Amino acid sequence: MTTSERDTELAAKLRGITGESSVLTRRSQLLTYTSDGLPTYRKWPALAVFPNTRNELIEVVRALALAKRTFVARGAGTGLSGGALAEGDAVVVGLNRLNRILSIDAENRLAVVEPGTVNAHLTRAANAHGLHYAPDPSSQTACTIGGNVAENAGGPHCLKYGVTLNHVAALTVILPEGELVTLGNADGEDAGYDLLGAFIGSEGCFGIAVDVTVRLTRNPEAIVTLLADFTTVEAAAQAVSAIIASGIVPAALEMMDNATIRAVEASIYAAGYPVDAAAVLLAEVDGLKAGLDVDVRVIEHLCVELGARTVRIAREEGERMRLWQGRKKAFGAMGRIAPDLIVQDAVVPRTRLPEILAKIGEIGRRHGIMICNVFHAGDGNLHPNIAYDARHAGVEERAHEAMREIMTVCISAGGTITGEHGVGLDKLDYMPLVFTPQTLDAMCQVRQVFDPERRSNPEKVVPVHSCREWYAVRGARA
Amino acid sequence: MILRSEQLAACTVTEVREEVRDARRRDEAIRIAGSATWMDAGRVVRAERLLSVSGLNGVIHYIPGDFTITVRAGTTLQHVAAMAAEERQWLALEPFGARSGTVGATIATGSYGPLAHAFGTPRDHVLGLRVVTGNGDLLTVGGRVVKNVAGFDLTRLFTGSWGTLGIITEATFRLRALPEVDESYALAVDNDPQVMDAQLRAISSASIAPYSVEMLNAALAQRLGVGTDTTILVRLGGNSESVRAQVKALSQLNTVGITSPEIWSSFRECEPEGATVIRFARRPSHLGGLWRSAVKRAAGALVHASVGRGVVRCIVNRDNDEQLTGERWWDPGSAIVERGADIPLHSSGPLAAVTCVRAGISRRIKDVFDPSNILNPGIMGDVG
Ligand SMILES: Cc1cc2nc3c(=O)[nH]c(=O)nc-3n(C[C@H](O)[C@H](O)[C@H](O)COP(=O)(O)OP(=O)(O)OC[C@H]3O[C@@H](n4cnc5c(N)ncnc54)[C@H](O)[C@@H]3O)c2cc1C
């Protein structure tokens, strides 16, 4: 059978499960699924299928197992590491139609959702009970809970509340070979190995989450947002360290540099950030009303002491939202400055922030490229982004070279290559810089426990050549 | 239970690796020990050798401004606590058991204490590990920074695996700042079911953000000297204005009395030698019922519950543990034997098929890291 005959046969089989209109095969239809939130890659899948119900999803995965086809789960496709891309023989399994909130147990602060449920929709539904879902990626109006689980997504408020790992009680997973398994336990404690913890952040390589039981968080009684502006990046970074060291755990502590501020202020998301500031800090405290103002005053005092020109304090919802809007839409705003954008993600120890930011600035100047920093400063989670125009000769190479240097600086400071966007395709080359061959091989083998034939999101996360056993077997056959 | 006690106290990672390789060659099993305060937790471990890692101790890396600390696995919890306290920081874990327990054992057993209410269990505190697997490989998993999604999360697999996948030699934790005020209060709870349930609901929805909320049965309350009958202990932390307001909110529920902060240390170490400890859990809204069933069955036991987490923990005399596990009265919740002889708690019913797949995954994971089954064999029962 030729490739196209196999695809035609598979498409027919899948249509039998999901109905005619839920399987896409034409290139014009597949175009949308050739990239994710990171525009630097484009990969063509063989076809795409969109199950409409849980049972259809299970049947689809079983049909793919029978046909021995590789597949890639896809939520909203907002991922920033090329994780949801499928190539060649691989089939995209789109989950966006599985978007029902199955139940909310307000008393126990739990909700069960389908994997395609949009993060912000869950929070909206929980709000009716005075609750919300705490992990809030900046893409929360689009990204899905399934995608969040796969990436162990974070967000501005993860500084205080923790990441996806800390907010999932249980999962039902369809394993690549078609078996269903429940990981975790929403009705009590979990016993045995922490398979739930292992699945979270597995980037679609261990199977597909069919439903997710999340923990909801009580809405805070009061929230205060502060905007402090600084004339040097270094002063802003020192203020971050000082706030963390004070013992206050802000709900969020975000930094934007001048390039980002100007991009935001020139866009429709203008938030009133001072465009001449070298950096602004967006800090938020929340929780019980009593005592919150004490924390606000401490943060204000520390910022002023470290050289903030002004500290704006927003208590009223409208103003707070405006301050946040600029931050949450910063990537979008950067997209306006130049046609191409590299979004980067790395983490460094918090005390190293001033030094690392200075080095990033220096790397940008040396390569003659513009780097915009907008990031979760409280966690030391950097997002140095490069806006460039690939039509100009040599610029793309310079941008990538600068990125490599930035990553090397972060790693040698004791940091890591990704804090929340995942490895996907984009960071495969960096993995051997942070993990030994033995550790990479162990990761390969754990993946094979869940996915023995490596059909679920193949060739992502761990470089194939790091997998001793797999490589030996395949190498011998070839 | 050591059959032939060939003991080795490893002081370096290389020694740990050599011991594992040697054991593997001779097909002999190793019983891993930290400070040996807890050992086999009453379970049957078939091992020819005893390997103590308590010699592998001390701090490797501590920069207070990063709020992370990296220590060797044999470092005791009290050592970590003392060092962090000098910088006005703490590891907000404080698990039940002796403070002379080691970091490695705490992570391996997934031990936690009353602070889990606000700060979670070891899986929420551990950022990275170094581990010697049953193959003798040295793995570095996770990292030293507070946020990290590079690669598959092996850190979570080793945490709570009771040493059956590898010997932890080093760990990095997230630390927190000590609060300005840290105070604890006791309030009496009514034993009448309806009144108790209403009180539990009132506490859960009160305007407080406690570090711990623990309900103690009369025996435990008396033992700790905080009450004569069922009592709730609440630990509050934060700035003084916030704590004052929280105390006020609490006193609207019932009369509250301040207790010594030392209460938590006595509480952590209240287990008599050789007791059986079993934890039962359900969704928190069912806590009242779960509590009453446990208290009724565990006559003479020390019983306490983490109110926000729906977990009831029973410390019972080893001769009496059958009264707690004779039937599956906790369904659909969970029962975990934390310490005690092999007590069968196998699940049955509609979930069994799904559980079977999961057991298969666990066994294959065990095969990846310890194919010859030489690390703590038997300690997790039928693995998974
Ligand atoms: C503007 C912008 C801002 C962002 N801000 C943040 C941020 O603050 N924090 C953050 O963490 N991320 C952020 N991201 C990245 C991205 O939104 C997150 O990684 C998100 O979790 C991806 O969700 P998704 O539904 O779009 O997943 P997709 O991109 O569709 O997929 C991502 C990965 O998840 C897998 N996957 C999807 N669904 C499932 C499932 N049900 N089961 C198993 N695997 C599955 C896919 O195979 C793929 O590997 C941002 C992205 C953008 C574009």
Side-chain angles (χ1 to χ4, degrees):
Chain A
M1 232 192 294
T2 66
T3 309
S4 75
E5 279 166 0
R6 287 181 61 213
D7 286 352
T8 310
E9 193 185 299
L10 181 66
K13 193 171 284 163
L14 296 177
R15 284 193 175 111
I17 299 168
T18 61
E20 194 65 28
S21 62
S22 304
V23 178
L24 306 181
T25 53
R26 282 200 299 274
R27 268 176 95 83
S28 58
Q29 297 171 317
L30 292 172
L31 180 65
T32 318
Y33 308 101
T34 58
S35 62
D36 66 358
L38 191 68
T40 16
Y41 296 90
R42 185 170 292 274
K43 305 273 181 199
W44 288 91
L47 49 99
V49 54
F50 298 84
N52 300 286
T53 64
R54 172 194 176 95
N55 277 341
E56 285 182 13
L57 169 60
I58 294 167
E59 289 306 305
V60 162
V61 172
R62 289 180 177 160
L64 292 169
L66 216 59
K68 299 202 177 305
R69 293 292 291 259
T70 55
F71 61 87
V72 180
R74 184 178 174 104
T78 67
L80 290 170
S81 53
L85 302 192
E87 191 174 20
D89 210 29
V91 174
V92 166
V93 181
L95 299 166
N96 49 321
R97 295 182 186 176
L98 294 174
N99 59 2
R100 282 156 286 235
I101 296 172
L102 300 173
S103 64
I104 293 185
D105 174 354
E107 199 176 358
N108 292 301
R109 298 175 198 152
L110 291 168
V112 185
V113 303
E114 289 186 332
T117 303
V118 170
N119 177 302
H121 295 177
L122 171 58
T123 277
R124 201 185 307 146
N127 263 322
H129 307 277
L131 303 168
H132 68 286
Y133 179 61
D136 60 338
S138 303
S139 52
Q140 73 186 132
T141 51
C143 67
T144 66
I145 299 297
N148 293 169
V149 166
E151 300 288 358
N152 191 12
H157 289 85
C158 291
L159 176 59
K160 173 172 177 182
Y161 292 99
V163 292
T164 305
L165 173 80
N166 312 106
H167 296 273
V168 174
L171 288 172
T172 306
V173 171
I174 174 109
L175 296 170
E177 297 304 316
E179 289 167 313
L180 273 180
V181 61
T182 302
L183 308 178
N185 181 6
D187 283 306
E189 291 191 290
D190 197 21
Y193 297 148
D194 187 359
L195 302 178
L196 174 67
F199 188 91
I200 295 170
S202 62
E203 302 196 29
C205 298
F206 290 7
I208 299 183
V210 175
D211 61 54
V212 186
T213 307
V214 297
R215 296 187 200 288
L216 301 172
T217 303
R218 233 192 327 173
N219 290 347
E221 275 177 18
I223 312 175
V224 182
T225 309
L226 298 90
L227 184 83
D229 83 283
F230 294 85
T231 51
T232 66
V233 170
E234 175 147 54
Q238 274 160 356
V240 169
S241 295
I243 293 167
I244 297 291
S246 76
I248 294 171
V249 184
L253 187 52
E254 303 278 310
M255 196 197 289
M256 282 164 275
D257 70 0
N258 180 264
T260 308
I261 295 168
R262 277 188 286 128
V264 169
E265 289 304 312
S267 76
I268 53 164
Y269 309 115
Y273 303 152
V275 289
D276 60 339
V280 293
L281 277 186
L282 194 60
E284 186 159 284
V285 287
D286 72 2
L288 302 173
K289 216 189 191 97
L292 204 62
D293 272 332
V294 178
D295 290 352
V296 171
R297 282 194 299 275
V298 171
I299 293 175
E300 184 184 15
H301 171 77
L302 288 171
C303 287
V304 170
E305 199 174 66
L306 286 159
R309 287 189 304 190
T310 57
V311 181
R312 218 163 105 191
I313 298 176
R315 292 169 199 276
E316 183 260 323
E317 184 74 4
E319 194 187 359
R320 283 190 45 246
M321 285 301 127
R322 205 158 74 99
L323 288 182
W324 270 112
Q325 171 92 334
R327 163 61 187 95
K328 294 222 169 187
K329 302 291 184 190
F331 290 161
M334 276 171 213
R336 286 181 66 259
I337 335 177
D340 300 286
L341 183 69
I342 305 180
V343 177
Q344 197 48 284
D345 174 36
V347 189
V348 296
R350 297 179 263 207
T351 49
R352 306 293 292 273
L353 272 178
E355 166 204 346
I356 303 289
L357 287 170
K359 282 188 180 157
I360 291 175
E362 189 270 317
I363 291 169
R365 279 190 298 279
R366 187 153 39 77
H367 289 277
I369 48 162
M370 177 155 88
I371 302 180
C372 313
N373 288 291
V374 46
F375 62 102
H376 312 303
D379 290 319
N381 187 181
L382 297 167
H383 292 317
N385 306 314
I386 300 183
Y388 65 101
D389 187 343
R391 288 168 305 187
H392 294 239
V395 175
E396 182 146 33
E397 289 71 29
R398 289 211 309 275
H400 285 285
E401 181 48 34
M403 262 320 161
R404 261 190 298 277
E405 285 183 26
I406 291 173
M407 293 305 273
T408 312
V409 164
C410 293
I411 294 166
S412 46
T416 191
I417 57 172
T418 170
E420 53 180 26
H421 294 168
V423 175
L425 273 180
D426 195 45
K427 299 228 160 126
L428 278 172
D429 290 347
Y430 294 121
M431 285 293 277
L433 302 182
V434 278
F435 294 111
T436 62
Q438 286 182 331
T439 305
L440 290 174
D441 183 54
M443 287 183 189
C444 290
Q445 293 196 45
V446 169
R447 182 236 175 88
Q448 268 159 245
V449 164
F450 288 87
D451 179 18
E453 296 295 319
R454 300 162 61 97
R455 290 187 300 101
S456 190
N457 213 0
E459 278 156 54
K460 305 275 171 64
V461 187
V462 182
V464 176
H465 57 78
S466 316
C467 307
R468 280 186 291 205
E469 213 167 291
W470 175 261
Y471 208 59
V473 174
R474 293 288 136 144
R477 269 188 217 160
Chain B
M1 249 130 273
I2 313 300
L3 301 182
R4 196 190 87 210
S5 46
E6 182 172 315
Q7 297 210 11
L8 184 88
C11 294
T12 66
V13 174
T14 313
E15 280 170 14
V16 174
R17 295 182 75 179
E18 276 164 8
E19 175 72 1
V20 170
R21 289 193 180 130
D22 187 59
R24 202 176 165 195
R25 256 193 312 275
R26 292 166 200 252
D27 199 24
E28 291 180 347
I30 302 176
R31 174 71 193 93
I32 310 155
S35 297
T37 56
W38 218 41
M39 282 315 293
D40 51 8
R43 297 163 206 219
V44 182
V45 175
R46 307 169 301 275
E48 285 83 17
R49 303 170 178 225
L50 177 69
L51 175 66
S52 165
V53 296
S54 63
L56 207 65
N57 60 37
V59 183
I60 291 171
H61 196 80
Y62 178 28
I63 298 193
D66 289 337
F67 283 78
T68 59
I69 190 167
T70 304
V71 297
R72 292 192 184 83
T75 313
T76 63
L77 292 167
Q78 68 196 7
H79 187 183
V80 173
M83 234 169 355
E86 275 177 34
E87 303 293 338
R88 287 208 49 77
Q89 297 184 357
W90 64 323
L91 173 58
L93 187 55
E94 303 189 349
F96 292 114
R99 277 172 294 175
S100 56
T102 62
V103 156
T106 302
I107 297 170
T109 56
S111 300
Y112 64 80
L115 289 170
H117 175 94
F119 303 108
T121 64
R123 83 199 282 271
D124 305 299
H125 295 264
V126 179
L127 302 172
L129 298 171
R130 297 191 98 193
V131 180
V132 175
T133 68
N135 298 313
D137 286 345
L138 174 65
L139 307 184
T140 307
V141 303
R144 285 183 182 176
V145 281
V146 293
K147 225 170 151 191
N148 191 351
V149 296
F152 303 131
D153 192 350
L154 304 184
T155 308
R156 259 24 77 184
L157 274 183
F158 287 106
T159 303
S161 68
W162 286 83
T164 60
L165 301 178
I167 302 173
I168 298 166
T169 61
E170 184 184 309
T172 301
F173 289 101
R174 172 201 296 277
L175 298 177
R176 288 164 207 275
L178 279 170
E180 179 193 329
V181 180
D182 180 354
E183 289 177 354
S184 298
Y185 293 84
L187 59 158
V189 186
D190 204 298
N191 286 322
D192 175 82
Q194 267 166 6
V195 182
M196 176 187 276
D197 290 351
Q199 282 178 314
L200 292 176
R201 273 196 302 273
I203 288 216
S204 313
S205 54
S207 187
I208 54 174
Y211 283 179
S212 310
V213 183
E214 289 278 334
M215 180 151 71
L216 320 176
N217 74 343
L220 186 52
Q222 287 162 17
R223 167 130 174 204
L224 297 176
V226 287
T228 51
D229 206 337
T230 316
T231 301
I232 285 188
L233 273 182
V234 182
R235 183 168 178 180
L236 301 170
N239 64 44
S240 58
E241 199 168 306
S242 155
V243 172
R244 242 182 294 128
Q246 294 185 62
V247 175
K248 202 162 146 210
L250 267 185
S251 43
Q252 274 156 12
L253 306 179
N254 206 340
T255 339
V256 300
I258 191 160
T259 70
S260 147
E262 291 307 310
I263 191 84
W264 300 104
S265 309
S266 337
F267 186 9
R268 276 171 76 188
E269 300 185 19
C270 71
E271 291 164 39
E273 193 62 35
T276 293
V277 182
I278 308 181
R279 295 199 305 262
F280 302 95
R282 285 196 62 184
R283 293 195 181 190
S285 59
H286 295 284
L287 182 72
L290 190 72
W291 170 267
R292 288 185 289 273
S293 303
V295 169
K296 196 172 76 200
R297 285 179 170 80
L302 303 177
V303 183
H304 62 95
S306 172
V307 171
R309 305 177 70 244
V311 181
V312 176
R313 192 164 170 270
C314 301
I315 304 164
V316 19
N317 198 308
R318 192 157 286 185
D319 312 328
N320 281 343
D321 54 21
E322 256 163 50
Q323 60 199 17
L324 268 173
T325 54
E327 49 181 327
R328 297 180 57 88
W329 54 273
W330 55 85
D331 275 341
S334 63
I336 292 178
V337 181
E338 196 179 289
R339 178 174 187 163
D342 236 354
I343 300 171
L345 298 169
H346 297 300
S347 56
S348 53
L351 275 176
V354 174
T355 314
C356 182
V357 176
R358 192 166 142 166
I361 296 174
S362 296
R363 262 192 303 276
R364 294 200 300 276
I365 287 195
K366 171 79 173 168
D367 283 344
V368 167
F369 294 104
D370 182 23
S372 328
N373 194 21
I374 56 166
L375 300 179
N376 281 355
I379 201 167
M380 274 186 107
D382 190 15
V383 156

